[in-house]
Amino acid sequence: MKKFILILLGIILTTTVAFAAKDNYKNLPAGIYTCPEEGIPCTIHKQKDGKFVFGENCKEKITDSFSKYAPMIKRKQCQYVPDPNQYYSCEFADATCSVLITPSSARVGCTRKDKDKDKKISRVQRLAFDQKVLQFAKEGKCRNLYPEPPAEEPKKD
């Protein structure tokens, strides 16, 4: 009976630790974490939309049961830079678009709303439309998905 209880307790603790390890990154602020690693450092990018991008040198994946880097991040052994990316959603009469603007590039992805969804458009037309959408986002004509919180005003005594 004792053996059964110990085995059951071991299984429960192991699964609890495994689930907790996956959630270690959940509460971290969005940004780029650079952790020491043999040779080239590991870079982990937690985007504002919750997605993770692990660098090639990282010896971990978000699906791993146990985390190597999350404890290092919490102990402040990794360098942190806030997520510099900007995320927008643009609504048009014939399409809904998402825009990701990074310091070095930009991506536009659109879903057409019209009944002619299957109608082919040329690559040139698509590129022109993507440029128009990107320009709208840069001009503030699209909804910022993760706006910066307003700065607090100093309290007057």
Side-chain angles (χ1 to χ4, degrees), residues 15-154:
T15 26
T16 305
V17 170
F19 284 116
K22 286 184 181 181
D23 292 337
N24 277 332
Y25 293 100
K26 190 182 241 179
N27 296 325
L28 296 175
I32 300 169
Y33 297 89
T34 305
C35 299
E37 190 58 73
E38 296 170 11
I40 301 171
C42 164
T43 303
I44 303 166
H45 186 179
K46 180 180 180 187
Q47 298 176 344
K48 291 175 185 169
D49 59 6
K51 294 180 183 170
F52 283 90
V53 179
F54 282 80
E56 292 178 10
N57 306 325
C58 299
K59 295 182 168 105
E60 178 177 339
K61 294 180 178 74
I62 195 63
T63 56
D64 288 352
S65 297
F66 296 96
S67 173
K68 175 181 180 177
Y69 302 109
M72 291 173 70
I73 292 170
K74 290 181 180 176
R75 288 190 303 261
K76 301 195 185 301
Q77 293 174 319
C78 302
Q79 182 182 13
Y80 168 72
V81 176
D83 184 5
N85 298 339
Q86 299 171 327
Y87 303 80
Y88 297 96
S89 177
C90 305
E91 292 285 332
F92 299 97
D94 56 348
T96 300
C97 301
S98 60
V99 180
L100 169 62
I101 301 174
T102 71
S104 60
S105 66
R107 283 186 284 185
V108 176
C110 297
T111 305
R112 293 177 61 184
K113 294 180 187 177
D114 59 4
K115 57 187 170 199
D116 295 330
K117 285 183 185 181
D118 298 330
K119 183 180 174 186
K120 301 282 184 190
I121 59 172
S122 72
R123 185 169 191 258
V124 173
Q125 288 174 316
R126 189 175 44 106
L127 288 173
F129 184 73
D130 287 355
Q131 286 301 316
K132 176 183 157 189
V133 172
L134 184 59
Q135 190 62 37
F136 271 57
K138 287 179 177 178
E139 291 173 358
K141 296 178 182 176
C142 298
R143 183 170 59 94
N144 186 344
L145 294 176
Y146 306 100
E148 296 296 321
E152 292 184 22
E153 293 182 24

